[in-house]
Amino acid sequence: MTRTNRAIVHTEFGDASVLRELTREVTDPGPGEVRVRVAVSGVNPTDWKQRTGATATSDVPAGGAVPNQDGAGVVDAVGPGVSGLAEGDRVWLMLAAYQRPGSGTAQQYTVVPAERAVPLPDGVGFAAGACLGVPALTAHRALTVHDGAPARLAPGALAGVNVLVAGGAGAVGNAAIQLAVWAGASVVATVSGPEKAALARAAGAGRVVRYTDPDAAEQIRDAFPGGADVVVEVAAAHNAELDLAVLRPGGTVAVYANDGRGGPLALDVRRNMVLNTRYQFVLLYTVRPEALADGAAAVNAALAGGGLRFGAEAGVPLHVYSLSETAAAHAAVESGTVGKVLIEVASDI
């Protein structure tokens, strides 16, 4: 008997209203692939940007595209040549839809390359698993690109390192705070106001500074007298002056986004030369597979050791939608909802 698969699909670029629910046949995994029954799908800014065409590199395929890179569920079938995963394994997914428009996680079943399915540690729920992927792996990469950085975070790996996290209440910012603290770094976070400051503190930031304060640089320097070793940067152009004011010589600015404020990033060549600044740009889609594997292993270790948590008490409020409400979930992320937006695909796994 043919099994069916409820999937959210868009056949054109546009706002969230282009998303439609369809029923398709469940497909079998090919060589090197696994099929996963999705329990929870995670929504990130990259997902709505892809849906609108803002970051697309090709047209929407004729059969449509299924959104969302992140998720968690249970391996349902294993293709030829796959080792290390078996039917029934609980997993979290990363980059599910990258170069595979039919494999997004906003559906009941998805088929992905086996290396994009990571075993979920015992005791960690599917909701937490769906919060990983893009935010956690981006944060791990940003924390491992400076001079002398470890390839893989672990307790003590960032001992003595001063980390400034811009946008500490965002999903990547929260993961960066938690992972940096778990790895032994001293962490300062910047935010826009008191509500987000509370979230950054809940994540574990040792000090939180409003970037709108006239003396923001002085406050950061008070915490880091020698300067910041690493800046995890979400608003590269807007924060360029502040970053230069607090960076130590030889420090690194790891840029994973530019939120549009301040226009394009313009660098003062002389000042950056004097500081020997390193700008490292971070985009998961083109990160080396080895670095992704290191990040996944570190994230699992942090999860298992209690160094990476989710929910309001960890500074990540969760907002849960049903599969039929995927358009509303996308609209929530696009409007800047603080916290993590999740889609419950199945409640009976």
Side-chain angles (χ1 to χ4, degrees):
M1 180 178 177
T2 301
R3 286 192 294 172
T4 57
N5 178 24
R6 289 175 58 210
I8 304 299
V9 177
H10 64 96
T11 56
E12 60 182 320
F13 295 126
D15 63 23
S17 67
V18 301
L19 296 170
R20 296 284 186 271
E21 184 176 324
L22 300 177
T23 300
R24 295 175 161 180
E25 290 186 5
V26 174
T27 58
D28 293 327
E33 297 178 335
V34 295
R35 185 174 66 215
V36 176
R37 185 182 178 200
V38 180
V40 182
S41 175
V43 188
N44 298 292
T46 189
D47 298 317
W48 70 255
K49 291 175 183 178
Q50 179 71 28
R51 186 206 70 231
T52 64
T55 58
T57 57
S58 61
D59 294 334
V60 181
V66 179
N68 301 357
Q69 300 287 351
D70 296 346
V74 174
V75 174
D76 179 70
V78 176
V82 173
S83 61
L85 289 173
E87 186 176 338
D89 285 351
R90 300 165 67 254
V91 295
W92 56 274
L93 300 173
M94 59 175 172
L95 305 180
Y98 176 55
Q99 297 182 333
R100 301 174 63 94
S103 292
T105 61
Q107 56 185 329
Q108 291 177 304
Y109 297 89
T110 186
V111 175
V112 299
E115 61 270 18
R116 300 187 191 181
V118 183
L120 192 60
D122 292 342
V124 177
F126 292 126
C131 291
L132 303 173
V134 169
L137 293 177
T138 297
H140 185 275
R141 177 65 176 167
L143 292 168
T144 54
V145 294
H146 56 281
D147 280 342
R152 180 184 299 183
L153 295 182
L158 295 181
V161 177
N162 293 333
V163 176
L164 173 64
V165 178
V172 175
N174 176 280
I177 292 170
Q178 292 200 60
L179 288 172
V181 169
W182 173 70
S186 298
V187 180
V188 172
T190 60
V191 297
S192 59
E195 292 183 3
K196 291 184 177 181
L199 295 176
R201 290 191 188 96
R207 186 160 181 175
V208 181
V209 174
R210 293 194 204 186
Y211 61 77
T212 53
D213 287 351
D215 64 342
E218 287 76 9
Q219 293 181 56
I220 296 167
R221 278 285 185 177
D222 181 62
F224 297 155
D229 297 286
V230 180
V231 179
V232 180
E233 186 54 80
V234 67
H238 183 266
N239 292 334
E241 183 63 31
L242 179 60
D243 292 344
L244 281 181
V246 302
L247 199 67
R248 72 158 177 81
T252 296
V253 181
V255 180
Y256 69 90
N258 189 31
D259 68 357
R261 292 175 297 160
L265 174 61
L267 299 179
D268 184 319
V269 174
R270 181 63 184 173
R271 290 176 67 193
N272 279 287
M273 287 176 64
V274 169
L275 282 172
N276 273 279
T277 308
R278 171 186 290 185
Y279 274 86
Q280 172 71 55
F281 294 87
V282 176
L283 182 68
L284 286 188
Y285 303 119
T286 49
V287 168
R288 292 178 296 105
E290 298 83 0
L292 287 177
D294 279 330
V299 165
N300 268 0
L303 280 170
L308 192 56
R309 303 166 296 117
F310 298 95
E313 66 280 3
V316 193
L318 303 181
H319 311 275
V320 182
Y321 295 77
S322 67
L323 185 61
S324 61
E325 297 173 319
T326 295
H330 266 235
V333 176
E334 193 167 356
S335 67
T337 294
V338 176
K340 186 66 183 181
V341 172
L342 300 174
I343 298 168
E344 185 179 72
V345 180
S347 59
D348 59 343
I349 301 179

